[in-house]
Structures are given as structure tokens and as C-alpha cells.
Amino acid sequence: MSKSFLLGSLGWVLAVCCLIGGGWTQSLQAKGWDREPVQPLPVCTRLFQDKVRLGRQLFHEVRLSFNNSQSCADCHPLHRWGADGQRHSRKADGSQTVMNTPTVYNVRYYIAQFWNGRVRTLQDQVEEAVRLEMGSQWPEVVSKLAQDASYRQSFAQIYSDGLQAANVRDALAEFMRSLLLVNSRFDRYLRGESNAITPLEQEGYRLFKEVGCVACHQGVNLGGNLLQKSGIFLRRAVEEPVNTSVQERVEADRFQLTGNEEDREVFKVPALRLVTRTAPYFHDGSLPTVEEAVGRMAQLQLGRSLNQADIAKIVAFFHTLEGSLAGECR
Ligand code: HEC
Ligand code: HEC
């Protein structure tokens, strides 16, 4: 059994535990979501609001980058569904990212972060983003923020050890946990509002299941809980990287982490919640439209070719998936 498969199954088990732990068992049974491969996101969050506020400020803080030129929000603009829409984003040092920038919404339920799932926690994800995308060293970041009395005060109020790199990462992680887009029309449909989505959109969901997309795009995020090969039936045309900087070796497929041949072109299955909003598509941003991405997926992963009408139905279903920002649970 491959490591990817094991990791994937583990995520699934974890996801199920989270659902049960969240006290959803009863309502799951009542509404019959347990028979569906896609589940609704929880409707509200329970988070440490002071950390969320501090994290939001840090998310927009250019001093996290080595030359004070860039914040997380430059590549992940929150008013643009959490991704900048570029094929490759510009980093603080002016060079380009290797991978396409994914959204920061709904990331808390992923089995692991980044396209190749190389880190497990949001804290570790922040650790890397600050070094690799923003070109900073952590001691520098902490000393720049410490010059600001309001940061010193905010950190001291929340954390017994005050302003520390680990606490910067913790606050940013807590903020990202708040970025949940909930109560989508599709979630309402799953919860029993049968007319929350149109017959065409229902047909799209039926096709999405029937064709086999749900084998990989499933759970609360329609992805994010498995690692899979991109190109199971058809090998993807792969562009070899032009040079092998540290970043290019890290930001790549799973093979770059494990060295196992079977992990070539293996990625975390991307979530599809905001898929109509986050063009371009695939880890390399190589496909400009969602219709092309759907058609290509059917060929690559399932060995099928879908006609334009079927693609349009699946895309219509995708339009039902995005929700609005979750509030605090009361
Ligand atoms: C220069 C643009 C850029 C900046 C600045 C940036 N990111 Fe990213 N972000 C990316 C790219 C590109 C990836 C995908 C890299 C990969 O998977 O190898 C990514 C991945 C992520 C992910 C993982 C999402 C997933 O689908 O696995 C999260 C979460 C994230 N970034 C949050 C942040 C935070 C928080 C900051 C600020 C500390 C930040 N990013 C700064 C471009 C950027
Ligand atoms: C065997 C697993 C698997 C199956 C089956 C599968 N996908 Fe995917 N899907 C993936 C992986 C892995 C990627 C990432 C591909 C890449 O970046 O090269 C992906 C990417 C996508 C993307 C692009 C998302 C983005 O943000 O870039 C879309 C859209 C998509 N899939 C839709 C579908 C549809 C529709 C089907 C059914 C026709 C389907 N997938 C079937 C694994 C799968």
C-alpha cells in the first residue's frame, strides 16, 4: 500500500472523527448526509476571537516580508476569494512562485497544507510561507514587530510569553481557521432544503457522483483529504522545471518529498468549494477555465470524455458550493 494512500485514509478517518467530535452524529443521521460523499461545512466557528483579530492584522502585515513589501493578503486577497488569480504570483523578492496560489478559505479541514501536503498544521504552513514566499528569517520578523508597541501589547495580552515567532504563527493559524465560507446553497440542500438548488444543479451533482469525481473530491471541501496522482489514465504533459532552486525542489509534487517513484505527479486533491472563483487551475495554473479543468479531469483521472452539456451541468453544480463567512457559534 502506498504512503499516499495511507496518508489519504488517515485523513478520511480524521475527518470522520472531527465530524463525530463536533457533535454532528445525531443530525447526520437525521438528515441522511451520511449517505452522501459530500458533507456540509459546520455553520459557525468556536475560536479564540482575540487571536483571530490579531491574526487578521498579521495577515495584512507587510513587515512579515524581508523588504516590507508584501503581506499574505497580496497573494491571498480575501475580497477575491483568497487567491490572486495569477498563474504564478510575484514573491517579495520579485521572482515568481512555482505553484499556482490556492485559496486560504476553508483550509482548516485539509489533511495537510500545500499542493504536495508537505506540512500538517497551519502553523507549519505559516512558518514556510514567511521564509519561502516572503524571504524573511523569523528572528528578523519578530524584532520588526517588537518595535511596534501595539503588537507587544496585543501579544502580551493573549500569550503568557508575549511576542514570539511561535505565537505569530499561532495567531495567523487561528485567523485562517475563521476563514470558513458556510451555508452555501448546496449545504442547505444537503440539510434538507430540497429547492435550495435548481434541477439543473441537482443533475450536475448526480453526474459528479456518477462519473466518479467523488472518488477523490469528497468530504466537506470536495477535496483536501486525499493525496492522488494527477494523470491516472493519461499521463499529464509535464514541463521540467528550468532550474532547481530550493523553492522549486520543495514546491513540487510528492516525489520531491519522498523520492518514491510512485509519488511522481502526486498532489493533495484540491478542494472545489470555490472552484468557479479561483481560476487558473491545477498546481501549475495551466488551465484558464473551469470548463477546461473539468473536461481534462475526466480524461486524466477517469479515462472518460465528457460532452459540453455534461461539463456545463457539473459547473452549474460547482456554482452552488460557495457560502458566506461563518460567524461565531452562540
Ligand atoms: C508570493 C505569494 C504568496 C504569499 C506572500 C503567501 N502565499 Fe500562501 N501560498 C502561495 C502559494 C504559491 C502556495 C502554494 C505553494 C505550494 O503548495 O507549494 C500557497 C499556499 C498557502 C496555503 C496552503 C493552502 C492549500 O491549499 O494547501 C495557505 C494556508 C497559505 N498559503 C497561507 C498563507 C499565509 C498565512 C501567508 C502569509 C504568512 C501566505 N500564504 C503568503 C503564495 C503566497
Ligand atoms: C483520482 C482522483 C481524482 C478524480 C477521480 C478526479 N479528480 Fe479532480 N483533481 C485531482 C487532483 C490530484 C487534482 C490536482 C491536479 C493537478 O494540479 O495537476 C485535481 C484537480 C481538479 C480541478 C482543478 C482544481 C483547482 O483548484 O486547480 C478540478 C476543477 C477538478 N479536479 C474537477 C474534477 C472533476 C469534475 C472530476 C470528475 C470528472 C474530477 N476532478 C475527478 C484528483 C481527482
Side-chain angles (χ1 to χ4, degrees):
M1 209 185 302
S2 83
K3 282 196 186 133
S4 318
F5 178 79
L6 279 175
L7 194 49
S9 320
L10 180 65
W12 196 217
V13 173
L14 284 176
V16 171
C17 295
C18 292
L19 297 183
I20 294 169
W24 287 14
T25 336
Q26 219 182 353
S27 36
L28 265 174
Q29 281 159 358
K31 302 291 184 196
W33 307 330
D34 53 342
R35 287 190 301 269
E36 293 301 322
V38 179
Q39 278 93 40
L41 284 162
V43 290
C44 58
T45 57
R46 286 179 203 284
L47 295 167
F48 194 152
Q49 291 303 321
D50 290 343
K51 286 188 185 179
V52 171
R53 272 188 289 276
L54 179 57
R56 179 180 294 115
Q57 192 183 349
L58 291 165
F59 193 82
H60 295 91
E61 177 55 75
V62 292
R63 282 172 283 185
L64 296 188
S65 63
F66 82 98
N67 53 2
N68 302 337
S69 69
Q70 185 172 55
S71 73
C72 311
D74 286 325
C75 295
H76 300 285
L78 299 176
H79 60 281
R80 267 197 105 266
W81 308 94
D84 61 8
Q86 304 298 310
R87 181 167 180 188
H88 300 284
S89 309
R90 200 185 49 79
K91 298 194 290 173
D93 67 3
S95 66
Q96 292 202 316
T97 60
V98 181
M99 310 298 262
N100 178 247
T101 301
T103 179
V104 283
Y105 284 103
N106 307 325
V107 294
R108 72 180 289 187
Y109 296 112
Y110 294 168
I111 172 192
Q113 302 296 322
F114 294 125
W115 280 98
N116 57 11
R118 64 186 170 276
V119 303
R120 278 303 174 96
T121 66
L122 285 167
Q123 280 88 335
D124 288 348
Q125 178 280 316
V126 171
E127 199 284 323
E128 210 175 89
V130 165
R131 281 189 300 108
L132 290 185
E133 320 296 349
M134 305 169 99
S136 283
Q137 301 299 320
W138 277 96
E140 263 175 61
V141 170
V142 172
S143 72
K144 279 194 278 179
L145 297 180
Q147 285 162 20
D148 191 324
S150 75
Y151 272 124
R152 287 202 307 273
Q153 198 186 353
S154 307
F155 277 95
Q157 274 164 4
I158 301 173
Y159 299 98
S160 57
D161 54 351
L163 177 45
Q164 304 284 339
N167 298 341
V168 173
R169 299 193 281 263
D170 183 69
L172 272 162
E174 191 76 347
F175 170 61
M176 285 191 280
R177 287 184 199 107
S178 77
L179 297 176
L180 274 193
L181 298 179
V182 303
N183 262 329
S184 66
R185 287 194 295 124
F186 189 68
D187 287 4
R188 283 168 28 214
Y189 173 74
L190 286 175
R191 290 197 174 94
E193 249 182 81
S194 54
N195 58 0
I197 70 173
T198 66
L200 177 81
E201 292 160 348
Q202 289 181 33
E203 177 60 14
Y205 177 49
R206 194 193 59 73
L207 258 180
F208 187 73
K209 291 194 283 188
E210 187 198 281
V211 172
C213 312
V214 289
C216 298
H217 297 280
Q218 33 146 293
V220 291
N221 268 321
L222 296 88
N225 61 357
L226 296 167
L227 295 161
Q228 285 290 334
K229 203 177 200 64
S230 177
I232 290 178
F233 279 82
L234 200 69
R235 200 176 173 285
R236 257 176 41 87
V238 182
E239 290 170 30
E240 291 300 329
V242 279
N243 70 58
T244 47
S245 68
V246 173
Q247 188 191 10
E248 282 177 344
R249 288 198 304 270
V250 175
E251 297 192 354
D253 59 8
R254 195 87 193 149
F255 172 76
Q256 297 301 322
L257 300 180
T258 65
N260 296 336
E261 276 303 316
E262 66 199 15
D263 285 340
R264 280 201 194 271
E265 290 292 288
V266 168
F267 299 98
K268 184 178 69 187
V269 176
L272 300 182
R273 279 272 174 191
L274 297 183
V275 73
T276 62
R277 305 288 192 164
T278 54
Y281 301 99
F282 285 25
H283 65 279
D284 53 3
S286 54
L287 294 179
T289 69
V290 67
E291 286 79 9
E292 283 168 273
V294 170
R296 195 82 186 111
M297 265 287 124
Q299 293 171 331
L300 287 174
Q301 307 298 66
L302 299 158
R304 291 183 63 148
S305 72
L306 295 179
N307 62 38
Q308 290 307 314
D310 286 347
I311 292 176
K313 286 177 193 158
I314 290 177
V315 172
F317 157 60
F318 287 164
H319 279 285
T320 69
L321 294 169
E322 69 201 34
S324 45
L325 199 61
E328 277 177 75
C329 300
R330 292 181 189 278

